[in-house]
Amino acid sequence: MNRIGIMGGTFNPIHIGHLLLAEWVLDALQLKEIWFIPTGNPYKKRASELVSGDERYHMTTLAIQNNSHFKCLDMEIRREGYTYSYETLELLKEKYPENDYFFITGADCLFSIDSWKYPERIFQCCTLVAAVRDQVSIKEMEKQKLRLEQKFSLDCQKIVLFPFIQLPVSSTEIRQRISKGQSVKYLIPENVLSYIKEKGFYSEVSFEKTAESNEKSTGCQAV
Ligand code: NAP
């Protein structure tokens, strides 16, 4: 079986936290590749701050272009309607049954996954790898892992708590800094930063334009 990491994310925009987490999991769990999958229309995100799927996909491909173990898939951005992780993982399982999947997430997901759509189907398709960071204690994460294992009758290897470092970077912070004209150098790859500047993403003006076009293409109102 090929051991494949799945790094799903809104990637609005992708940053060093995502890249480093993927690289360290690849190395530690001896995975063959990591597949980055930018979300299509994530139902919990503010449409007004969301750059289009095509553009987030493009930024992600730029960010990973020098790593031969990293790939970017457009399957979620091509899907109509809201995208759910269980659907993506089931599609991958069906298309490439020879692969063993490791769904890589930060700490937060461990505490929210049971409110996602069909979490039991997610666990049927993959091992969940949750990064342990300083802001959530390992004790709390272990407790939650046990709770999920009991709730979904999981083998204790289905959830891996992955020790990671505290990298205080988030896409929200990056967008805020850009909108205030502050530097985000070194937080995101140089080529992604050039692309953001070229396109004028995350400035106040572009938020307004994005909200308008998201409304037209999805029929969803910005919230
Ligand atoms: P995101 O904000 O772009 O982040 C992607 C991942 O990177 C998250 O797991 C996040 O963990 C982690 N991360 C961000 N900053 C980090 C840092 N500094 N250090 C280490 N890790 C960091 O994407 P997202 O919106 O959370 O979505 C993640 C995945 O969950 C996507 O595949 C999405 O489709 C899926 N999801 C599915 C459902 C559903 O199926 N119903 C619902 C929600 C999300 P943290 O969240 O801990 O920051």
Side-chain angles (χ1 to χ4, degrees):
M1 296 272 265
N2 295 321
R3 292 161 66 84
I4 304 291
I6 301 297
M7 185 78 204
T10 313
F11 304 138
N12 186 39
I14 188 158
H15 57 66
I16 54 161
H18 303 129
L19 295 165
L20 199 67
L21 176 59
E23 179 63 21
W24 284 21
V25 173
L26 175 96
D27 183 48
L29 302 192
Q30 299 183 326
L31 306 185
K32 187 173 177 224
E33 287 176 348
I34 304 279
W35 295 352
F36 286 73
I37 308 186
T39 54
N41 194 5
Y43 74 108
K44 282 184 175 164
K45 299 281 169 175
R46 280 164 55 92
S48 61
E49 291 186 358
L50 194 63
V51 163
S52 77
D54 281 327
E55 297 289 17
R56 287 179 290 111
Y57 172 78
H58 185 63
M59 288 191 280
T60 307
T61 57
L62 287 175
I64 65 168
Q65 71 182 10
N66 293 324
N67 191 326
S68 59
H69 296 286
F70 286 180
K71 291 205 168 113
C72 185
L73 307 191
D74 64 0
M75 58 188 293
E76 286 200 356
I77 63 162
R78 299 277 157 257
R79 212 180 302 148
E80 295 280 313
Y82 292 128
T83 46
Y84 299 103
S85 300
Y86 84 91
E87 272 181 315
T88 304
L89 288 158
E90 285 183 351
L91 283 169
L92 287 173
K93 262 281 176 219
E94 197 183 302
K95 202 163 173 200
Y96 310 104
E98 70 282 12
N99 291 343
D100 208 356
Y101 293 107
F102 295 78
F103 190 60
I104 306 167
T105 67
D108 292 353
C109 156
L110 195 68
F111 296 87
S112 62
I113 194 163
D114 51 351
S115 67
W116 294 9
K117 205 162 181 187
Y118 304 129
E120 65 285 358
R121 288 166 69 172
I122 295 180
F123 287 118
Q124 274 160 19
C125 296
C126 68
T127 298
L128 185 75
V129 181
V132 182
R133 297 192 267 159
D134 285 354
Q135 89 277 25
V136 186
S137 80
I138 179 78
K139 274 214 173 107
E140 269 179 72
M141 289 188 72
E142 277 166 355
K143 226 161 76 186
Q144 177 66 2
K145 170 174 150 67
L146 199 63
R147 206 181 66 75
L148 291 172
E149 284 167 358
Q150 284 165 354
K151 181 169 178 185
F152 297 107
S153 307
L154 303 174
D155 182 273
C156 66
Q157 318 223 317
K158 267 283 169 186
I159 301 175
V160 173
L161 300 183
F162 182 76
F164 196 55
I165 49 171
Q166 180 65 21
L167 270 176
V169 49
S170 69
S171 298
T172 307
E173 170 82 20
I174 288 170
R175 292 195 302 274
Q176 283 168 356
R177 289 187 67 85
I178 294 174
S179 77
K180 289 184 206 153
Q182 295 170 329
S183 171
V184 294
K185 201 171 167 70
Y186 307 125
L187 294 178
I188 53 180
E190 200 71 47
N191 56 357
V192 177
L193 179 53
S194 303
Y195 190 69
I196 289 174
K197 281 185 181 162
E198 181 192 317
K199 292 285 183 169
F201 292 154
Y202 311 121
S203 66
E204 290 300 332
V205 181
S206 85
F207 283 155
E208 281 158 29
K209 275 197 204 148
T210 310
E212 244 172 63
S213 75
N214 278 347
E215 222 170 284
K216 274 184 203 147
S217 68
T218 63
C220 293
Q221 288 231 323
V223 284

